[in-house]
Amino acid sequence: MNPFTEKVVTIISGIPAGRVMSYGQVAACAGNPRGARQVVRVLHSMSAKHQLPWHRVINAQGGISTPTDREDKGNRQQELLQSEGVQFNENGKIDLSIYRWFPEIEEEEWR
């Protein structure tokens, strides 16, 4: 596993219940502010293997990227977040000022 992927897995593993991070935020914390699509790839390919809380990663607007009206995964993500106490507004968005998590990452941890 390359260093960026390892960092992404570690960061996502650390998101506590009831909190969320955006794809871009995870990427930036892992050292690549432009790596949001790579975070998607990691989630897609490694969530089951590493038991990642994939449902806690959302888009930068506070929404679920998989439309809830088209795929069960989007509905499942919303259900999981709601079961952890995360509330959605009438537009289906999460208030990031309340639920966004900022991990405390020491720079030396990633060296």
Side-chain angles (χ1 to χ4, degrees), residues 1-44:
M1 191 177 327
N2 72 44
F4 176 77
T5 301
E6 283 184 43
K7 292 173 191 175
V8 168
V9 167
T10 300
I11 292 164
I12 294 171
S13 294
I15 303 172
R19 304 302 292 272
V20 297
M21 290 181 76
S22 72
Y23 298 100
Q25 181 187 1
V26 171
C29 286
N32 183 358
R34 299 183 63 152
R37 288 186 183 196
Q38 290 175 287
V39 172
V40 172
R41 177 191 55 79
V42 170
L43 281 169
H44 179 74

Side-chain angles (χ1 to χ4, degrees), residues 60-78:
Q61 290 75 42
I64 292 173
S65 291
T66 304
T68 56
D69 62 326
R70 287 198 273 185
E71 294 201 29
D72 288 338
K73 191 171 185 179
N75 288 327
R76 181 72 179 134
Q77 185 174 13
Q78 184 167 346

Side-chain angles (χ1 to χ4, degrees), residues 43-65:
L43 281 169
H44 179 74
S45 64
M46 298 186 171
S47 284
K49 178 179 179 182
H50 294 281
Q51 300 179 338
L52 298 177
W54 60 270
H55 61 285
R56 296 180 188 148
V57 183
I58 60 173
N59 66 37
Q61 290 75 42
I64 292 173
S65 291

